[in-house]
């Protein structure tokens, strides 16, 4: 299962450090960030991470995208692939206006992953080995006429597709090429510190829930250059751990705060429509059972690394 879709992205340099000497991680998926905007997965996507740009009210159609190279594949603070990948996201939206009534926007988005090494080739293939499709609706509910304080909301249906999946990672009697999420993202937009909250409901495999919450703040260093630090925590219920088990894929452990991530996103807007992003994050596993599983190498592929650095860099586009 993968990223919560989100949008507008940034990313960071190419290197990482994990529990073993292998190349680092990445994540997923936003775009130029301002203090009042969300960005992945976004993320991570998804939620991808969960920051999408507020809809431009002067356009009927609008969108954005990004493509970059990452030190690995990071998902919700866990390391899916410790070796380098290429990841990209693009979405298009249509504003819904009826006279003076603002009905938000609707749109579609596509995220993709390509592994740059053969580490997962036997199971997932290599080039374009994951496609995540979403349809979404969102709106910012402003609390003031100046549109400086408001609640940003977005809901997405996400379909994760693995076209080259050659054997089941979910057990000898289980074969799946897809999984599906219904995601809800909230952000309290303001000029100071933006709290955000994402609810990921996986309804295809295990009827499981993941919560992602934290705070971020955008700093405009210049008109073109923005820095956005953020702190994110991830809660996974016991059913969600089919994907992040403590002893292979047969054991479910109790739910709780699983991971934490301290991240810094940098965006430089080259022109009105094109920019560069750089991002880096330190991720740590907080759950004791998951850390013990990592120490004993019983956490399967997703739970092998309990502490690591992830980073990436690339280009952004908006239209």
């Amino acid at each position: 299962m993968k990223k919560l879709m989100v949008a507008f992205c940034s990313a960071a340099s190419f290197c990482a450090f994990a529990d073993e000497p292998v190349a680092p991680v990445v994540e997923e998926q936003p775009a130029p960030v301002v203090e009042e905007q969300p960005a992945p997965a976004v993320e991570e996507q998804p939620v991808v991470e969960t920051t999408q740009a507020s809809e431009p009210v002067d356009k009927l159609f609008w969108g954005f995208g990004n493509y970059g190279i990452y030190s690995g594949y990071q998902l919700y603070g866990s390391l899916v692939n410790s070796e380098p990948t290429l990841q990209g996201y693009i979405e298009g939206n249509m504003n819904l206006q009826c006279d003076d009534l603002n009905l938000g926007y609707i749109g579609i988005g596509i995220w993709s992953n390509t592994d740059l090494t053969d580490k997962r080739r036997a199971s997932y293939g290599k080039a374009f080995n994951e496609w995540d499709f979403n349809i979404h609706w969102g709106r910012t509910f402003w609390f003031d006429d100046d549109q400086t304080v408001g609640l940003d909301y977005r809901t997405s249906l996400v379909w994760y597709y693995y076209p080259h999946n050659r054997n089941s990672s979910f057990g000898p009697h289980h074969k799946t090429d897809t999984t599906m999420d219904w995601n809800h993202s909230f952000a309290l937009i303001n000029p100071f510190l933006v709290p955000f909250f994402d609810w990921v409901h996986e309804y295809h495999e295990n009827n499981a829930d993941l919560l992602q919450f934290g705070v971020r703040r955008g700093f405009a260093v210049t008109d073109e250059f923005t820095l956005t630090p953020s702190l994110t925590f991830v809660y996974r219920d016991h059913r969600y751990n089919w994907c992040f088990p403590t002893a292979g894929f047969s054991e479910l452990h109790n739910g709780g705060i699983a991971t934490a991530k301290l991240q810094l996103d940098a965006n430089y807007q080259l022109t009105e429509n094109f920019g560069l992003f750089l991002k880096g994050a330190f991720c740590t596993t907080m759950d004791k059972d998951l850390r013990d599983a990592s120490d004993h190498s019983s956490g399967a592929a997703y739970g092998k690394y309990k502490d690591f650095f992830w980073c990436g860099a690339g280009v952004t586009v908006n239209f």
Side-chain angles (χ1 to χ4, degrees):
M1 179 138 205
K2 311 301 180 266
K3 17 192 144 10
L4 216 222
M5 274 331 290
V6 301
F8 249 58
C9 161
S10 45
S13 72
F14 186 103
C15 76
F17 309 88
D19 287 350
E20 70 176 25
V22 329
V25 204
V26 332
E27 171 175 68
E28 65 227 259
Q29 58 227 78
V33 186
V34 288
E35 341 178 332
E36 318 92 68
Q37 293 177 335
V42 72
E43 223 94 90
E44 182 48 163
Q45 255 46 288
V47 108
V48 278
E49 309 242 75
T50 49
T51 37
Q52 73 253 10
S54 300
E55 62 273 21
V57 295
D58 58 339
K59 291 183 178 181
L60 177 59
F61 297 100
W62 59 281
F64 58 87
N66 63 82
Y67 204 81
I69 186 170
Y70 298 84
S71 57
Y73 185 159
Q74 178 263 138
L75 177 65
Y76 300 130
S78 292
L79 189 53
V80 178
N81 183 5
S82 62
E83 297 182 2
T85 68
L86 294 173
Q87 296 182 356
Y89 179 76
I90 190 165
E91 80 170 41
N93 301 290
M94 181 177 71
N95 277 332
L96 302 176
Q97 292 285 144
C98 181
D99 295 327
D100 293 331
L101 182 61
N102 179 9
L103 299 177
Y105 63 93
I106 58 172
I108 58 175
I110 304 173
W111 184 88
S112 69
N113 178 80
T114 290
D115 290 347
L116 291 178
T117 68
D118 290 334
K119 182 173 184 178
R120 303 192 305 161
R121 187 171 192 148
S123 297
Y124 290 99
K126 188 174 179 181
F128 298 103
N129 54 11
E130 179 181 348
W131 293 90
D132 300 346
F133 307 92
N134 77 76
I135 59 174
H136 54 263
W137 174 85
R139 186 188 163 188
T140 302
F141 299 88
W142 296 109
F143 301 151
D144 61 341
D145 293 337
D146 295 332
Q147 296 190 350
T148 57
V149 179
L151 178 65
D152 190 77
Y153 171 70
R154 174 163 164 146
T155 184
S156 306
L157 289 175
V158 188
W159 176 42
Y160 302 88
Y161 176 54
Y162 312 95
H164 312 304
N165 195 6
R166 297 189 173 99
N167 56 61
S168 175
S169 300
F170 303 95
H173 305 297
H174 190 102
K175 178 74 171 74
T176 183
D177 291 324
T178 67
T179 188
M180 287 164 276
D181 287 350
W182 184 16
N183 303 334
H184 304 271
S185 299
F186 304 84
L188 184 59
I189 305 303
N190 65 83
F192 308 108
L193 190 65
V194 177
F196 58 87
F197 173 82
D198 302 305
W199 172 25
V200 179
H201 178 64
E202 190 282 318
Y203 61 87
H204 179 254
E205 294 291 337
N206 265 34
N207 193 31
D209 293 289
L210 175 147
L211 306 178
Q212 180 173 256
F213 57 93
V215 292
R216 65 174 178 268
R217 170 70 193 274
F219 296 92
V221 181
T222 68
D223 289 343
E224 298 82 15
F225 183 54
T226 304
L227 290 174
T228 305
S230 61
L231 176 63
T232 306
F233 297 93
V234 173
Y235 168 91
R236 301 197 295 251
D237 73 2
H238 72 286
R239 297 184 65 84
Y240 200 93
N241 286 298
W242 65 272
C243 191
F244 301 91
T246 54
F249 284 91
S250 60
E251 176 185 334
L252 301 177
H253 81 279
N254 294 331
I257 302 296
T259 63
K261 177 177 63 177
L262 183 62
Q263 182 166 316
L264 180 64
D265 293 274
N267 276 85
Y268 188 82
Q269 200 66 24
L270 295 172
T271 68
E272 181 181 355
N273 300 109
F274 296 96
L276 302 174
F277 70 81
L278 187 69
K279 73 160 47 172
F282 175 75
C283 304
T284 183
T285 299
M286 301 183 68
D287 183 275
K288 182 180 183 301
D289 290 340
L290 292 177
R291 291 188 70 85
D292 290 343
S294 175
D295 289 336
H296 296 91
S297 298
S298 60
Y302 293 97
K304 190 174 182 180
Y305 307 93
K306 59 184 179 181
D307 303 300
F308 58 87
F309 176 73
W310 155 91
C311 55
V315 297
T316 63
V317 60
N318 59 83
F319 49 90

